[in-house]
Structure formats: structure tokens, C-alpha cells
Amino acid sequence: MKIAYSPCPNDTFVFHAWAHGLIAGAPELDVTYADIDVTNGWAARGEGPEVMKISYAALPYVLDRYALIPCGGALGRGCGPLVLTAGGGRIAAERAEVGGAAEPTAGTDRREAGNAAASSQGGSGAAARPSADASAGAARSHVGAAAPGMDPSWLSGRTVAVPSDRSTAYLLFRLWTAQQIAGEPPRIVVLPFHEIMPAVRDGRVDAGLVIHEARFTYPDYGLTLMADMGVWWEADTGLPIPLGAIIARRGMDVESLARWTRASVEYAWAHPDESAGYVREHAQEMSPDVARSHIALYVNEFTRSLGEDGLAAVQSLLGRAAREGLVPDFDPALLRS
């Protein structure tokens, strides 16, 4: 069976067992490693492997041709995209004094994220099975729409780099700015993920929307956290954040696909060290500590099963985005069939 998923640690961790023939009764996998922007495009054109990892933001475009597999994807708490600046957007000193809030340092953010990831993995450093919200990380220290000392209205009319304009991160950002910025909306520039933080650092764009391991590495670029989209989403809805979905061409045996995917997740949790080489092979530029933190954030009980909370989160995000004209209208019943 042909499948495409990203080389990111959460995907290779989840599918290691199945890709290596360790799931009884599951078909052999022919794996293509592709960034989610690529698989989003394949799905939109009806191309590519019959099973793929795509962004939840791309789902409304393809639900007529692909079914959602209710496990194996990325959805959770404390793992939202971040809006970063090179220091721009700080509230003036006198305003900060009135508000009584001091902006945390980048080092503090990083330590909190690292400590949360380490505690979710246990003392051995292995990627142990976490709860759905075990890895809140730095997000929990930033309650509200923006980090303490930061003013979202600064983004009005400014240039913001995003990794894709058909991603969950982008939908969250657009929904957040519609709520937080009364003036001219930010100007969007699409850049490859790895170029965003250097572009912000070097002043080529005013801010950047980043995902994944950038939660842990942005202090290395001297950048400042303006807002955590996950914190805003969770405070606004009480729901987890839908990020990446596993889909299959309609007509395939989704029940069996879900069973094999779930078995691969459970094997990964039961034997965390077995996947380490496979994860490292496809994340060569990422340190082992960052890879483990990445897995701890994005592989959780929602990966094993979306459940009613997960489905409610997907429907809420895509429903709100459809009402804002960011994605096409869709039939919510297709999320379950």
C-alpha cells in the first residue's frame, strides 16, 4: 500500500512499526516522505499515494474524494503555532508598567518548553506515552491572546511570513488576527518553513508564523514570542488544536486502516527506543533532544483516537474558517464517513 507522510519525528515515530512490518496482518507500506505542503497539493489534485498525511486545513477541499482516518494524525494541546518577531510589538514601557506584566525572556520560554517535554518523557528520555495535554510547555505561561508585554495590533499592515496558506497554522493565524486586529490585516508572504526565522531575524519580514520544532529553537535566532495560537485557540474554544490528518481514498477499508495505524501508535509507545534510528535517519538536522520534544508534543491520545473531542475540534476549526471564507463549505457528516 502506498502512503505519504512527512519526515518529521512525530510521523516517523507513529508509522515506524507499520513501515517495518511489525503490525500483524497489515499490508506492506511503500512510503513516500513529503512535506505537508506537497501532500496537500497532491490531495487537492487527486494525485499521490492512496493514504496521506495532510493538513486539517486542506481537508474541506478533498473530503469528497478522501475519508478521514480517525487516528495517526497530529492534534493536541500546548502545541500551537507561534507568531514571532525580532522584538517588534512590545508594549511601551509606561503601558507595561500600568499593566504590571513583564515580558518573559526567550530563555525562559525555552526552558519551560524543554522542561515540559522532558517531564512528559520521563527520566529515561524515552518518548513515553503522554496524555492528550501532557506537553503544554511554554504555552501555559502565556494565558490570553498574546505573550505578556506584546501588542498584536502592531502587526496591522505589516508583513508576516507563513509556511503555507493552506495549513492549520495559517487558519489559526487568520482567525486570531480577525479577532485581535481592528485595522488593516497583516500582509502574508509564503516562505519555506526553514527560511522563516532567518527572514524575521534579518528584517526581511516583520513577523513569522512557525510550527513544530521552532517552539524549541526560536531563541537561537534571537526572536521574541508575540503570541501562541494554541493558547488563544484553547482559551477561546476549550478544544485541542487540529494540525495534521491522515486520509485515505474513499472506497478503501478505513476501519482496517485505522486499526493498523492505531496498532502502530501503540507499538511505538510500548517500544519507544526501537524507532529512534528511523526517526534520526529522517530528521538529520534535528538534535535528539528536540526530536524527543517534538514527539512528546505531537503524539498523544488524540493520535491514537480522535474521539468526540477531537472531532469537535476539527469541526469547530473548519466551520469557523468556512464562515470566514478561508476554506470551502463542507458537509460535517463526511468527517465521520
Side-chain angles (χ1 to χ4, degrees):
M1 187 186 81
K2 293 183 178 181
I3 187 171
Y5 50 82
S6 82
C8 292
N10 59 307
D11 287 344
T12 50
F13 180 78
V14 164
F15 286 103
H16 164 263
W18 191 353
H20 289 79
L22 301 174
I23 305 303
E28 182 179 351
L29 291 184
D30 179 359
V31 180
T32 297
Y33 302 97
D35 289 338
I36 206 160
D37 241 5
V38 174
T39 55
N40 284 348
W42 285 344
R45 297 188 298 270
E47 301 172 357
E50 56 259 44
V51 177
M52 289 186 280
K53 169 84 171 284
I54 69 167
S55 170
Y56 271 109
L59 201 54
Y61 298 89
V62 305
L63 271 174
D64 58 335
R65 299 188 301 277
Y66 294 88
L68 173 64
I69 298 176
C71 56
L75 187 148
R77 300 184 185 275
C79 58
L82 305 180
V83 180
L84 305 175
T85 76
R90 287 191 175 95
I91 296 172
E94 62 271 17
R95 290 180 60 195
E97 288 172 5
V98 171
E103 181 185 357
T105 65
T108 299
D109 291 339
R110 190 179 190 187
R111 284 193 300 274
E112 289 171 349
N115 290 343
S119 65
S120 69
Q121 293 166 31
S124 66
R129 176 177 181 160
S131 65
D133 60 351
S135 301
R140 296 305 178 202
S141 68
H142 305 301
V143 178
M150 302 300 286
D151 179 10
S153 67
W154 180 84
L155 293 172
S156 178
R158 297 183 185 272
T159 302
V160 179
V162 303
S164 170
D165 58 3
R166 192 170 288 190
S167 66
T168 303
Y170 178 72
L171 291 190
L172 288 169
F173 178 71
R174 287 289 302 274
L175 293 171
W176 176 74
T177 55
Q179 186 185 91
Q180 300 295 321
I181 299 175
E184 180 186 353
R187 298 191 301 274
I188 302 299
V189 175
V190 178
L191 289 179
F193 169 73
H194 67 278
E195 294 183 13
I196 291 178
M197 289 193 290
V200 178
R201 178 196 61 199
D202 299 341
R204 288 182 281 124
V205 295
D206 297 304
L209 182 70
V210 300
I211 55 176
H212 298 331
E213 64 273 10
R215 294 185 68 86
F216 311 103
T217 61
Y218 75 83
D220 297 340
Y221 293 80
L223 302 182
T224 299
L225 175 66
M226 168 164 277
D228 186 319
M229 300 294 90
V231 170
W232 166 75
W233 174 257
E234 292 177 50
D236 204 54
T237 68
L239 295 168
I241 311 157
L243 297 168
I246 308 297
I247 59 170
R249 290 186 187 275
R250 291 201 175 272
M252 296 185 72
D253 183 353
V254 171
E255 184 176 339
S256 292
L257 291 171
R259 184 173 67 253
W260 296 324
T261 302
R262 191 170 294 117
S264 193
V265 173
E266 291 174 342
Y267 188 98
W269 279 334
H271 308 89
D273 294 336
E274 288 191 23
S275 63
Y278 183 55
V279 169
R280 186 167 55 250
E281 175 187 353
H282 295 283
Q284 294 179 355
E285 296 181 4
M286 193 182 301
S287 74
D289 285 345
V290 170
R292 283 192 292 268
S293 297
H294 184 111
I295 292 167
L297 269 178
Y298 298 109
V299 183
N300 52 51
E301 287 294 342
F302 292 116
T303 312
R304 182 184 182 279
S305 175
L306 275 178
E308 290 304 314
D309 281 353
L311 285 167
V314 174
Q315 188 168 335
S316 178
L317 174 68
L318 299 183
R320 293 174 96 173
R323 290 191 292 275
E324 290 287 333
L326 299 173
V327 300
D329 287 325
F330 64 98
D331 181 358
L334 291 177
L335 295 172
R336 298 175 181 268
S337 63

